[in-house]
Amino acid sequence: MTWGYEAGRVYNRTNDIHGRFKGEGSRQSGIITFATHPVVVIISGKTGIAHGYADRWRTDGAFEYFGAGQIGDMVMLRGNRAIADHSADGKSLLLFFDTGNGLRFHGEMVCEGYHIERAPDQNGDKRDAIVFELRDLEAVAIKAVDADLPTDVSLDELRKRALAAVETPTSTSESKARTVYQRSRDVRAYVLARANGVCEGCEKEAPFIRVDGTPYLEPHHLRRISDGGPDDPRFVIGICPNCHRQVHHGIDGVEYNTALLKKMKSIEPTT
Ligand SMILES: [Zn+2]
């Protein structure tokens, strides 16, 4: 379950999407942002097919999603900007497929980068289309956990890498962008090094030592409900499994998360 959505289940846009988020969000757009919720909903529809292009899965597992803009060149504004910046903004990116009878939830995604492609617009004229390259968050999160933490790298250097990891992904056709897996790993490595074996929530020592000899703590993303993937390290805290479970499942989980957010201001100043 992600924000209450179950993968594979079909939802009604009005009731289950706008309704769930206090009626917020544009009713027409294929990319929906919400005024007071850290969520970006993207809908992959059939409209593109009629115009000669369509969202598609790449053989390496990435999903290529055409941005918004019906006529003329697409621009990196509004919904398109929201997708590109979702990690830096601490927002969950939720992918739905329009089945014709509703919206089937696929899962939470991470934007790895984007490229520009010549594709027809609504009038059939060729224009620059922004094509986002998305990955399943779960796959990214699992790979980051399995990766060994770097040794003999200074905390300063790890911090630098983590802050760079959250920068808006660049156009992958222009430069060799760092993969979202690498970026996710950088954030994790820094947060765990910063915690240095002591829970940044309850301040107790890590409950056990991992197979690789490092203390076991978990990075928790304070602004999103789901964990894993790149995020601004100033909003990711290294906590013990007890604290982590409390945030996600405790009766006071929301309050505890708010307390941790406050605590982060002294751990990692935001200005
Ligand atoms: Zn703890």
Side-chain angles (χ1 to χ4, degrees):
M1 295 282 269
T2 306
W3 288 93
Y5 299 114
E6 207 179 302
R9 213 172 134 182
V10 176
Y11 293 92
N12 174 279
R13 176 166 181 157
T14 305
N15 298 335
D16 301 326
I17 294 181
H18 299 291
R20 185 156 305 172
F21 299 111
K22 295 189 197 158
E24 293 169 2
S26 158
R27 298 292 195 274
Q28 276 81 42
S29 183
I31 303 169
I32 317 170
T33 56
F34 305 89
T36 63
H37 296 86
V39 174
V40 180
V41 164
I42 55 177
I43 298 166
S44 180
K46 297 172 181 156
T47 49
I49 298 169
H51 305 296
Y53 70 86
D55 304 337
R56 67 228 157 184
W57 290 99
R58 244 170 30 201
T59 50
D60 70 350
F63 184 65
E64 297 198 328
Y65 180 78
F66 279 78
Q70 296 181 332
I71 292 162
D73 289 344
M74 289 186 190
V75 285
M76 194 51 91
L77 289 171
R78 297 176 292 275
N80 294 336
R81 175 53 64 191
I83 295 176
D85 288 349
H86 83 96
S87 280
D89 293 343
K91 292 182 178 175
S92 292
L93 188 62
L94 307 183
L95 173 62
F96 289 82
F97 287 95
D98 190 346
T99 65
N101 296 314
L103 302 176
R104 181 168 52 79
F105 180 54
H106 171 77
E108 182 166 354
M109 310 299 283
V110 179
C111 180
E112 180 165 83
Y114 66 88
H115 64 265
I116 305 291
E117 198 171 298
R118 297 293 287 172
D121 66 11
Q122 212 169 44
N123 298 333
D125 300 323
K126 288 266 185 184
R127 49 78 179 266
D128 283 350
I130 299 172
V131 182
F132 292 101
E133 299 160 17
L134 313 177
R135 301 240 175 218
D136 284 295
L137 174 70
E138 214 173 86
V140 172
I142 289 169
K143 275 205 186 183
V145 172
D146 288 346
D148 287 335
L149 296 173
T151 49
D152 67 12
V153 180
S154 74
L155 189 63
D156 271 356
E157 177 56 28
L158 290 174
R159 183 171 195 269
K160 239 180 258 167
R161 290 183 194 173
L163 287 169
V166 76
E167 278 167 20
T168 299
T170 46
S171 169
T172 49
S173 52
E174 283 162 20
S175 63
K176 186 90 189 79
R178 287 167 64 63
T179 68
V180 75
Y181 300 109
Q182 290 166 321
R183 294 191 284 125
S184 179
R185 217 170 284 165
D186 287 344
V187 172
R188 179 183 173 81
Y190 168 63
V191 168
L192 295 184
R194 185 186 66 201
N196 195 22
V198 177
C199 173
E200 291 179 324
C202 67
E203 293 174 12
K204 288 182 189 142
E205 271 193 44
F208 60 88
I209 303 297
R210 292 164 57 108
V211 180
D212 68 3
T214 59
Y216 184 88
L217 292 171
E218 300 172 343
H220 166 60
H221 296 243
L222 290 156
R223 299 179 296 181
R224 292 194 261 126
I225 285 181
S226 41
D227 283 306
D231 193 344
D232 189 320
R234 291 167 294 192
F235 297 100
V236 185
I237 194 166
I239 53 178
C240 71
N242 259 350
C243 284
H244 207 177
R245 291 283 163 143
Q246 189 179 345
V247 170
H248 287 288
H249 305 288
I251 190 168
D252 60 347
V254 174
E255 287 84 354
Y256 192 39
N257 196 66
T258 306
L260 291 177
L261 255 173
K262 266 193 202 132
K263 204 165 176 210
M264 270 310 291
K265 286 189 182 136
S266 57
I267 296 170
E268 188 88 53
T270 42
T271 48

